[in-house]
Amino acid sequence: MIRMTPSLLLLPLLTFTLIACSPEDSAQTAAPAPAASAPQDAAPAMPAPADSATDSVAGLTWTVPAGWEMQAQRPMRAATYTTPAAEGDGEPGEVAVFYFGPQQGGTVDANVDRWFNQFDQDDGRPTSEVAERETIEVNGMPVTVVRASGTYNAAAGPMAPRADLRPGYRLIGAIVDGPEGAVFFKFTGPDRTVLEQEAHFERLVDSIQRD
């Protein structure tokens, strides 16, 4: 009679266990990895901040400062913005953008003189004697920048009667020699309001570039 030793009895059991636990079977029974999120599940893009709004005319584009409000279309203007009023000022500031077409609108000197002549000085001197004027370059384009203050004749038109006089007003203007002709940016308002918004106007001018 042949006796089976304990080790021989365990051999089939070990073989069955090894087969049952082979790597291929483990891979088949492993839980599948979670699927990656589909691109359409991503959060929608946030809207651009207000200070990144842009405007354009005559081959030029610029950035409109945050807090400035676009106004309805007005005759002879490419755009009009109002700025917040400084504390204590009864009116906001106004930025008017003009474009009259290629070779139109008069020379830079004629427009600067007209802007200065819209202001009176308490001592009777011509505003041109106390105003500031400089020429800078912005993105390869010459820009004439002027500053004046005094009593402002807000009546529209160069021949308008002096019927809307506003003491304590200030002007910052910029005339850009653009690719399709001169574009005029005229910022007027109560003195404190214009001074408070001056840095924003300067950033608008610095942002002007060709389309």
Side-chain angles (χ1 to χ4, degrees), residues 185-196:
F185 296 79
K186 185 183 181 185
F187 181 18
T188 55
D191 192 78
R192 283 180 296 182
T193 292
V194 174
L195 289 174
E196 192 173 273

Side-chain angles (χ1 to χ4, degrees), residues 35-45:
S37 298
Q40 58 268 27
D41 294 336

Side-chain angles (χ1 to χ4, degrees), residues 85-92 169 190 192-193:
E87 185 176 358
D89 283 345
E91 297 178 358
Y169 255 58
R192 283 180 296 182
T193 292

Side-chain angles (χ1 to χ4, degrees), residues 4-122:
M4 299 288 290
T5 63
S7 59
L8 291 176
L9 291 173
L10 292 173
L11 183 58
L13 180 59
L14 289 172
T15 302
F16 175 81
T17 302
L18 290 173
I19 293 174
C21 297
S22 64
E24 292 80 0
D25 291 338
S26 297
Q28 292 174 357
T29 58
S37 298
Q40 58 268 27
D41 294 336
M46 295 297 292
D51 61 353
S52 67
T54 60
D55 212 342
S56 63
V57 71
L60 297 180
T61 300
W62 58 89
T63 301
V64 182
W68 289 17
E69 296 183 1
M70 172 75 79
Q71 300 301 304
Q73 287 289 340
R74 295 174 60 176
M76 307 295 292
R77 296 189 181 190
T80 305
Y81 314 108
T82 55
T83 76
E87 185 176 358
D89 283 345
E91 297 178 358
E94 179 184 82
V95 179
V97 184
F98 302 91
Y99 175 68
F100 303 103
Q103 309 300 320
Q104 302 296 315
T107 65
V108 170
D109 288 344
N111 279 279
V112 169
D113 289 343
R114 181 169 57 82
W115 287 354
F116 288 168
N117 288 335
Q118 290 178 311
F119 283 82
D120 295 332
Q121 302 304 311
D122 291 341

